[in-house]
Amino acid sequence: GESVGLHLPTLSVQEGDNSIINCAYSNSASDYFIWYKQESGKGPQFIIDIRSNMDKRQGQRVTVLLNKTVKHLSLQIAATQPGDSAVYFCAELGEYGNKLVFGAGTILRVKS
Amino acid sequence: DTGVSQNPRHKITKRGQNVTFRCDPISEHNRLYWYRQTLGQGPEFLTYFQNEAQLEKSRLLSDRFSAERPKGSFSTLEIQRTEQGDSAMYLCASRLAGNTGELFFGEGSRLTVL
């Protein structure tokens, strides 16, 4: 079946440094991926998405890279700030494109 | 529009009691989803509706769980005879069918079963 997972459960970075959060997926037929940020006690918040016909997509301070050969997704956050501290999830649009399938999440801790 | 709204935000109940959660999606969104999230895990799909029709239910959803969306607007999720293992955050999300996969999530309803 489908599965989306993350390599690192916790990532600690110094304020101002860049952060890289990784994600592996298993369904080679997936064609749409999203990164969500979730702060404590809140619902997931959309960060950035990417379709499988792209390798890279940039937003404000964030970049998503997609490597379809090895089924790997990463989220890069530039100049990480304390407000970036949260849990980050990658999600894959599941079979038939009807629902998102989430990975387990990576905790990002930003040290001041 | 203020986004997806869920209530109650917190519910503490005793084992065996029934609980009901309500979700009000973004008004023009015809798709509504329920997810469950336990500590340290990603949201787990439970069910979704397109308008008033419930189109898919997770195999993980026991018979004690039922969801409705009678008029294609708000939705309720009821859990009967709650068990301690039902303790989790219940998240509602909505989107327009045919759009991108982005789901807009509510803040969730946290259930604690004693």
Side-chain angles (χ1 to χ4, degrees), chain B residues 30-51:
Chain B
N30 53 2
R31 283 207 176 170
L32 185 149
Y33 295 76
W34 285 99
Y35 282 79
R36 176 171 60 193
Q37 185 177 28
T38 54
L39 194 63
Q41 299 296 316
E44 175 186 45
F45 171 78
L46 294 179
T47 187
Y48 88 93
F49 294 82
Q50 180 154 313
N51 300 313

Side-chain angles (χ1 to χ4, degrees), chain A residues 14-32:
Chain A
Q14 195 68 35
E15 181 179 359
D17 288 351
N18 296 335
S19 302
I20 300 176
I21 301 171
N22 297 303
C23 176
Y25 64 95
S26 61
N27 186 353
S28 57
S30 296
D31 65 357
Y32 181 73

